[in-house]
Amino acid sequence: MSRTGHGRRAQVAPVASPRTFAGDAKAPGRARKHAREVIEAAVPDITGDRLAIAQLVVSELVTNAYRYGTEPGDRIAVTVDAAPEGARIEVHDPARRRPKLRAPGRGRERGRGLYVVQAIADRWGVDDRPFGKVVWVEPAWH
């Protein structure tokens, strides 16, 4: 909050998180933009490297949710909590099927996203929820 000229505090509207997105091919790009807005609002002096890490995590998780966790008409929810010392990113989808680390094969163009997430995360996991699951990641910001 900042002080106005009349002794009252002006309210600064936070960027809303969680936010839902249609479970389609545009979801990863929209979710990356949302994550950037939330993180820049919460941590105005964030480094480009940290922001890129968070956006990569969002992109990988939302892509997986879209490809493997939704049917036509489903929505994906993305929650981003950020502070100077770290962040937590959650992606909710309606499928109960848990993501799996698949052995990368020669010539395969898919299946490496969770390895990327695992490499850049301090912690990550999957929790069940009443209608689906949430995959969460706490990216390494050190």
Side-chain angles (χ1 to χ4, degrees):
M1 287 195 249
S2 63
R3 204 167 267 291
T4 65
H6 300 295
R8 293 182 302 178
R9 292 188 178 269
Q11 297 294 322
V12 176
V15 178
S17 191
R19 183 154 172 218
T20 62
F21 302 92
D24 61 25
K26 294 181 181 179
R30 290 175 175 154
R32 278 191 308 273
K33 180 178 184 240
H34 169 66
R36 185 184 69 242
E37 291 170 353
V38 170
I39 294 167
E40 287 177 338
V43 188
D45 60 345
I46 188 161
T47 66
D49 288 346
R50 288 181 176 179
L51 187 57
I53 287 169
Q55 287 186 288
L56 178 60
V57 167
V58 168
S59 188
E60 293 296 338
L61 296 185
V62 173
T63 297
N64 282 352
Y66 155 62
R67 286 184 177 159
Y68 309 112
T70 62
E71 305 236 348
D74 286 344
R75 298 197 59 83
I76 299 166
V78 177
T79 302
V80 179
D81 290 315
E85 56 277 353
R88 182 176 173 102
I89 297 161
E90 298 178 355
V91 175
H92 305 246
D93 69 53
R96 296 288 256 169
R97 189 174 342 108
R98 289 175 168 254
K100 295 179 183 169
L101 290 167
R102 297 190 304 185
R106 291 184 75 158
R108 283 183 57 184
E109 294 181 22
R110 294 184 181 178
R112 293 175 181 82
L114 285 178
Y115 284 103
V116 171
V117 168
Q118 187 175 41
I120 61 178
D122 277 338
R123 296 178 352 129
W124 76 280
V126 182
D127 296 325
D128 291 327
R129 59 183 200 140
F131 298 101
K133 68 178 170 303
V134 58
V135 180
W136 56 269
V137 176
E138 295 172 357
W141 278 12
H142 38 76

